[in-house]
Amino acid sequence: MMHAPEPIAAPASSVAVPSWVLPGDMLENCRFLARDDAPRAWGVTEVGLCLFESAACLEYPAAVWEELAALPLGYHLHLPLDLDHQPDPTGVCLQLMDRARPLRPWACVVHPFEEPARLRDLVAAWSAAGWPTAALLLENIPAVRLESVVSLAYELGMGLCLDLGHLLLTGEQPDAAALARCRMLHLSCPEQRGRGHRHLPLDRLDQLDRLDRLDQLDRLDRLDRLDRLDRLGRLDPAGTRLARALLDGAPQARRMVEVFDWDGVVSSIRWLQAAEARKAG
């Protein structure tokens, strides 16, 4: 049986990061992330295994899973992104869970299916296999309205994974019901609001905010330069505000810095630490 989810009121210094932060395969990255001299010193205690491609991940030999299990790390899984294109997506997920069993993952993240019936089939099979449906976390994505994602999670007894970058791309705001159901936060800054899905470090939120404010100012007519500069400091920093709303509104959720390079992970952790310090002060 899947390891029962822990009460995940993780300390602020404890974060999860992806299994791809340096060039190399999943195992090489996890070996790096298990080191005491850098990653763990930054509070990295958990890795989200990026099982993005079904066929490639099903080919990992047993020795890979066994070595991962021996590392001093906690784990959760991000199930494949190509499930909609698999003839048997439920079978793929159950096979991956069986192979990852030695890792005792506490949760699995999954994207909504194009056909909701396929998600219902997965949840039914998941439950029949003895795994808690609350540990299957449905992530918001730009292609599906947040309201629909939250509704499905409640209907099927799933948890939620709220992705900050996706929310900024769509301009959606999670309500109290979404925050209460959230068990994981994916934290990154999107490359450009309304376009693309590149995951940038959290400290880029401040730059995103400045660009957003400048864009708003460009739409204001008949303002002289001094008035523009005055207004620049007053307009709302949307990205930073939403990030703090997620962190404050879902303190029970695991914080996953979903940035795919180590330097970006470190700068994001610094941003989180500074946010906590401002809150405490």
Side-chain angles (χ1 to χ4, degrees), residues 2-277:
M2 182 179 176
H3 180 47
E6 59 183 285
I8 54 172
S13 59
S14 176
V15 296
V17 301
S19 61
W20 202 88
V21 295
L22 296 172
D25 61 27
M26 180 172 70
L27 183 54
E28 290 169 333
N29 272 262
C30 288
R31 287 171 181 155
F32 167 76
L33 293 168
R35 286 166 40 182
D36 290 330
D37 59 337
R40 292 177 68 80
W42 281 102
V44 175
T45 60
E46 179 178 316
V47 174
L49 297 182
C50 302
L51 307 178
F52 291 162
E53 298 181 358
S54 298
C57 294
L58 287 171
E59 290 176 359
Y60 286 133
V64 168
W65 301 105
E66 290 167 1
E67 183 171 346
L68 288 173
L71 295 174
L73 293 166
Y75 296 99
H76 69 267
L77 311 183
H78 195 307
L79 295 173
L81 303 178
D82 60 3
L83 291 175
D84 267 317
H85 307 292
Q86 299 299 318
D88 182 16
T90 293
V92 169
C93 294
L94 295 184
Q95 286 183 70
L96 286 172
M97 278 305 307
D98 188 59
R99 296 177 191 200
R101 190 183 302 270
L103 280 60
R104 296 167 60 86
W106 71 268
C108 292
V109 176
V110 64
H111 285 189
F113 286 77
E114 292 178 4
E115 299 177 16
R118 301 186 96 187
L119 180 62
R120 292 185 175 92
D121 290 343
L122 171 59
V123 171
W126 188 273
S127 179
W131 296 319
T133 56
L136 190 58
L137 311 184
L138 190 61
E139 181 180 349
N140 63 294
I141 60 173
V144 181
R145 291 178 58 194
L146 177 61
E147 180 182 359
S148 298
V149 173
V150 175
S151 178
L152 264 176
Y154 271 91
E155 174 194 338
L156 300 176
M158 303 172 70
L160 276 174
C161 171
L162 292 178
D163 188 298
L164 169 64
H166 293 168
L167 291 170
L168 288 171
L169 287 170
T170 62
E172 294 173 298
Q173 299 280 337
D175 60 13
L179 292 171
R181 199 76 173 184
C182 180
R183 307 201 69 196
M184 184 178 298
L185 295 172
H186 278 182
L187 300 170
S188 69
C189 175
E191 183 171 22
Q192 187 171 359
R193 294 190 77 177
R195 302 177 189 174
H197 294 83
R198 188 179 172 201
H199 294 63
L200 300 178
L202 287 172
D203 59 353
R204 295 287 293 273
L205 285 171
D206 299 325
Q207 297 178 37
L208 177 69
D209 293 337
R210 287 196 292 274
L211 290 172
D212 285 346
R213 295 199 294 273
L214 285 168
D215 183 60
Q216 293 177 52
L217 288 172
D218 286 341
R219 296 172 188 167
L220 297 175
D221 296 326
R222 297 181 297 278
L223 290 173
D224 61 32
R225 182 175 178 78
L226 289 177
D227 195 23
R228 278 174 169 257
L229 290 172
D230 182 55
R231 288 173 180 261
L232 181 60
R234 297 185 198 172
L235 293 173
D236 289 331
T240 299
R241 188 178 64 233
L242 179 56
R244 290 174 180 165
L246 290 176
L247 294 169
D248 293 343
Q252 77 283 356
R254 180 71 80 207
R255 299 175 179 187
M256 166 73 166
V257 175
E258 200 181 32
V259 177
F260 298 99
D261 70 88
W262 179 243
D263 289 342
V265 167
V266 170
S267 62
S268 297
I269 293 173
R270 285 187 175 128
W271 189 94
L272 287 170
Q273 292 173 338
E276 286 295 326

